[in-house]
């Protein structure tokens, strides 16, 4: 490509982004834009997959059949979200296998929140209300992201996430209005998940490495701190109607700003978790690696079978036996 | 104190075997409901451990279908949560087959295959009757057809895949074979033609295994020590541990709602 055409492509890309048009897989895009998207979408997909673990931890112990069904459906949705996101990332010229390999070898990250343990049943509710709530606050603007396949995946994912968030809230409400033990369980879970949920929005704006460029490319629409503030403002009245408190003595309404002020986040904890020193980092990645390694013979078998039966594929179907 | 041991009745939530007002036989509803409940639970243990993402989705999907069936069936005869969480091992009426631990993926598939073929034939029969299970069976048989299809495709892929997968699949079928005879033991209140069921089950299983280059196991199936035992509340050892995990939270908060 000559310098002149490269400039022309770049100008066309910039114009499309400026006009809020969608960039599609076959369109020219700057390599750095492609790389940023692959990184962000992969991390997003990895988070869905790793995020199954803390909740799946309670499937076998769910206290009612209704709750068990809701939780199973949620964990299943998360696997589905992972699949959409890997597919969307593949439109950028990578592959699911490659991305999974990067996850398994620690070269790509997933959301730090999933390195916290689910210690009681109420944690399932706190994850639904707070963690999914934070994810939605982050992800709704991504439905207007400049990259078409990502934006479209997010529309579908956000619908399901909102549903999960309401279910989490409803789970906590049942506990909060239940026996004193159940209420205490709910409060304890909110106390443990509140700050990690605020950290999900990423470092403060003045310390966020990728923010400016991502905003210029319209991958990101709002700053970390803006979204974090929006989340706090949403959660405060919800906590009140849940009959639960948020573990922040500095939390109060600021009439002048029209927002809630809140206390300082412990960024050293955030950094420690990001570096792999959170409570469950080892456990989460080991389980993922183990599932992958122990499943290798199954994937090999499917590949060998497909190769043997390529010609005959889809001609066999299960005839009715009933 | 008398030295004579008093026979303690097995604690059950539903007492007796009288049909309920809806005409549903309690033993039959418990047998079918417990099968679905217990197998669903085992499949739920796979969440986050499946060999490939598509199987995370598929196994959870099957687990959810079965849990849905269990909830309908148990609700026919009592409170679904009391029945699931407050009965002890000796009061469960599920087949020993469905309580078997997941093992490797081949064991999970063999268990699913044997059970789904059976369940589809059984529900196919029930759907054509005018009995109390006809409605549920007509709806469930569509789900079960999917479960059977899923299992049979994996039987083919693993049986006729690599040497290792072939060996694992054969081993799994052999190991679970002795639990299959129980599926054809009569259940009080379940009006089905067991002879026809067994013949068609064997025919289908044979065809699928042979097509997958696998050998139909030669071990005892009917007349094995396990035949009919689960239906009488006699389970294998891993089942109690499974229930301990399943029930512990519910039992820790008596009377609480969730």
């Amino acid at each position: 490509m000559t310098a002149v055409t490269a400039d022309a492509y770049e100008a066309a890309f910039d114009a499309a982004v400026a006009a809020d048009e969608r960039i599609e897989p076959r369109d020219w895009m700057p390599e750095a834009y492609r790389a940023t998207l692959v990184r962000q979408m992969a991390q997003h997909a990895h988070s869905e997959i790793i995020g199954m673990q803390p909740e799946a931890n309670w499937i076998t112990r769910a206290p009612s059949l209704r709750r068990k069904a809701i939780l199973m459906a949620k964990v299943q949705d998360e696997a589905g979200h992972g699949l959409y996101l890997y597919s969307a990332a593949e439109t950028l010229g990578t592959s699911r296998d490659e991305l999974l390999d990067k996850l398994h070898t620690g070269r790509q990250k997933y959301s730090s929140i999933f390195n916290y343990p689910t210690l009681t049943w109420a944690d399932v509710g706190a994850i639904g209300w707070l963690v999914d709530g934070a994810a939605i606050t982050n992800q709704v603007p991504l439905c207007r992201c400049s990259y078409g396949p990502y934006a479209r995946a997010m529309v579908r994912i956000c619908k399901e996430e909102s549903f999960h968030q309401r279910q989490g809230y409803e789970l906590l409400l049942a506990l909060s209005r239940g026996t004193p033990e159940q209420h205490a369980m709910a409060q304890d879970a909110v106390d443990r998940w509140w700050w990690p949920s605020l950290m999900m929005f990423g470092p403060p704006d003045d310390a966020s490495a990728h923010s400016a460029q991502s905003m210029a490319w319209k991958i990101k629409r709002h700053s970390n701190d803006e979204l974090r503030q929006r989340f706090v403002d949403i959660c405060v009245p919800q906590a009140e109607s849940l009959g639960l408190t948020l573990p922040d003595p500095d939390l109060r309404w600021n009439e002048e700003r029209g927002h809630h002020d809140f206390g300082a986040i412990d960024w050293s904890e955030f950094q420690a978790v990001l570096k792999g020193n959170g409570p469950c980092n080892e456990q989460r990645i080991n389980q993922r690696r183990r599932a992958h390694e122990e499943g290798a013979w199954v994937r090999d078998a499917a590949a060998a079978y497909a190769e043997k039966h390529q010609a005959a594929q889809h001609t066999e179907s299960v005839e009715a036996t009933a | 104190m008398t030295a004579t041991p008093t026979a303690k009745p097995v604690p059950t939530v539903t007492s007796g075997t009288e049909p309920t007002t809806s005409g549903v036989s309690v033993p039959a509803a418990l047998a079918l409901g417990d099968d679905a409940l217990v197998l669903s639970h085992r499949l739920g243990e796979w969440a986050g451990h499946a060999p490939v993402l598509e199987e995370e989705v598929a196994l959870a999907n099957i687990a959810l279908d079965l849990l849905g069936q269990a909830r309908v069936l148990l609700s026919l005869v009592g409170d679904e949560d009391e029945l699931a969480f407050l009965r002890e091992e000796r009061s469960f009426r599920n087949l020993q087959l469905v309580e078997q631990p997941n093992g490797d993926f081949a064991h999970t598939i063999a268990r699913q295959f044997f059970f789904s073929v059976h369940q589809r034939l059984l529900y196919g029969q029930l759907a054509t009757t005018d009995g109390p299970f006809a409605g549920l069976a007509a709806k469930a048989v569509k789900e079960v057809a999917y479960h059977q299809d899923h299992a049979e495709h994996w039987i083919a892929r693993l049986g006729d895949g690599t040497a290792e997968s072939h060996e694992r699949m054969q081993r799994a079928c052999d190991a679970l074979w002795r639990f299959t005879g129980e599926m054809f033991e009569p259940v009080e209140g379940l009006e089905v033609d067991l002879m026809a069921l067994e013949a068609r089950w064997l025919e289908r299983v044979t065809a699928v295994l042979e097509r997958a280059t696998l050998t139909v196991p030669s071990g005892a199936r009917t007349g094995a020590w396990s035949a009919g035992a689960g239906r009488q509340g006699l389970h294998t050892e891993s089942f109690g541990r499974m229930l301990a995990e399943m029930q512990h939270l519910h039992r820790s908060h008596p009377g609480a709602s969730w």
Side-chain angles (χ1 to χ4, degrees), chain B residues 13-227:
Chain B
V13 173
T14 50
S15 53
T17 54
E18 296 296 307
T20 62
T21 44
S22 52
V24 172
S25 146
V26 173
L30 287 183
L32 301 183
D34 287 351
D35 283 350
L37 178 72
V38 170
L39 185 54
S40 166
H41 185 95
R42 284 296 189 206
L43 291 171
E45 293 172 354
W46 270 103
H49 299 272
V52 61
L53 276 178
E54 284 80 356
E55 284 307 299
E56 295 284 1
V57 177
L59 295 174
N61 207 329
I62 296 168
L64 271 168
D65 286 344
L66 289 168
L67 184 53
Q69 294 166 15
R71 295 182 66 191
V72 173
L73 286 158
L74 295 180
S75 297
L76 288 173
V77 296
D79 178 279
E80 60 176 32
D81 287 335
E82 283 179 22
L83 288 167
F85 296 103
L86 298 178
R87 273 183 301 160
E88 293 186 357
E89 188 177 340
R90 293 281 282 109
S91 303
F92 274 81
R93 292 290 177 264
N94 57 283
L95 298 164
Q96 291 184 347
L97 174 69
V98 297
E99 76 201 28
Q100 293 311 303
N102 288 334
D104 67 2
F105 190 67
H107 278 76
T108 291
I109 290 299
R111 184 184 64 196
Q112 197 63 45
F113 169 55
F114 292 152
F115 181 73
S116 297
V117 173
H118 157 75
Q119 204 189 16
R120 180 149 172 219
L121 291 165
L122 176 67
Y123 281 14
Q125 275 200 28
L126 290 174
T128 62
T129 64
D130 54 3
F133 298 115
L136 163 96
K139 181 176 175 286
V141 78
K142 292 175 199 149
E143 298 168 349
V144 178
Y146 161 79
H147 306 170
Q148 183 183 345
D149 193 47
H150 172 263
E152 290 185 355
H153 276 96
W154 275 113
I155 295 278
R157 287 187 200 108
L158 300 180
D160 194 15
T162 62
E164 182 186 3
S165 71
H166 177 88
E167 199 205 321
R168 284 181 185 251
M169 196 63 249
Q170 185 66 56
R171 211 185 306 151
C173 290
D174 292 347
L176 294 171
W177 190 246
R178 70 193 179 102
F179 297 108
T180 58
E182 197 181 358
M183 297 188 290
F184 311 103
E185 294 292 315
V187 174
E188 195 188 325
L190 197 60
E191 280 158 32
V192 284
D193 180 348
L194 286 168
M195 294 266 284
L197 201 65
E198 182 160 19
R200 297 187 69 179
W201 182 87
L202 202 55
E203 189 187 337
R204 181 71 188 180
V205 164
T206 302
V208 171
L209 292 182
E210 283 176 355
R211 200 167 61 200
T213 73
L214 294 161
T215 309
V216 178
S218 53
R221 193 168 53 80
T222 47
W225 67 270
S226 65

Side-chain angles (χ1 to χ4, degrees), chain A residues 3-171:
Chain A
V4 177
T5 33
D7 286 349
Y9 277 122
E10 183 132 25
F13 171 84
D14 290 342
V17 170
D20 271 338
E21 282 167 24
R22 290 277 161 82
I23 307 300
E24 296 299 337
R26 287 159 190 267
D27 293 342
W28 184 90
M29 61 188 84
E31 273 317 301
Y33 176 83
R34 186 184 297 275
T36 295
L37 277 169
V38 169
R39 181 180 51 80
Q40 185 174 336
M41 290 163 77
Q43 275 184 209
H44 196 160
H46 298 334
S47 301
E48 297 283 358
I49 301 312
I50 296 284
M52 294 168 72
Q53 291 182 29
E55 294 176 289
N57 184 36
W58 281 92
I59 286 179
T60 54
R61 293 177 287 170
S64 74
L65 297 186
R66 174 172 166 265
R67 293 291 179 197
K68 187 172 184 166
I70 290 172
L71 185 56
M72 272 186 182
K74 182 180 179 190
V75 173
Q76 182 192 23
D77 280 349
E78 282 159 4
H81 295 170
L83 281 171
Y84 306 155
L85 286 162
Y86 286 123
S87 301
E90 284 181 334
T91 64
L92 292 162
T94 181
S95 71
R96 195 208 300 183
D97 285 347
E98 192 181 340
L99 298 177
L100 279 176
D101 189 56
K102 285 183 176 162
L103 170 65
H104 297 153
T105 53
R107 285 176 292 153
Q108 280 179 343
K109 293 189 186 314
Y110 54 88
S111 178
S112 62
I113 193 81
F114 300 119
N115 292 313
Y116 289 87
T118 46
L119 301 177
T120 73
W121 169 250
D123 290 33
V124 171
I127 289 182
W129 177 44
L130 294 173
V131 175
D132 293 343
I136 294 162
T137 309
N138 258 330
Q139 291 170 10
V140 164
L142 284 173
C143 298
R144 295 185 295 122
C145 149
S146 60
Y147 188 57
Y150 195 20
R152 288 189 289 274
M154 290 322 304
V155 171
R156 199 163 161 190
I157 290 173
C158 282
K159 278 186 199 156
E160 292 181 346
E161 293 288 3
S162 312
F163 190 58
H164 298 161
Q165 201 249 353
R166 282 203 297 279
Q167 288 171 330
Y169 178 88
E170 195 253 333
L171 190 164

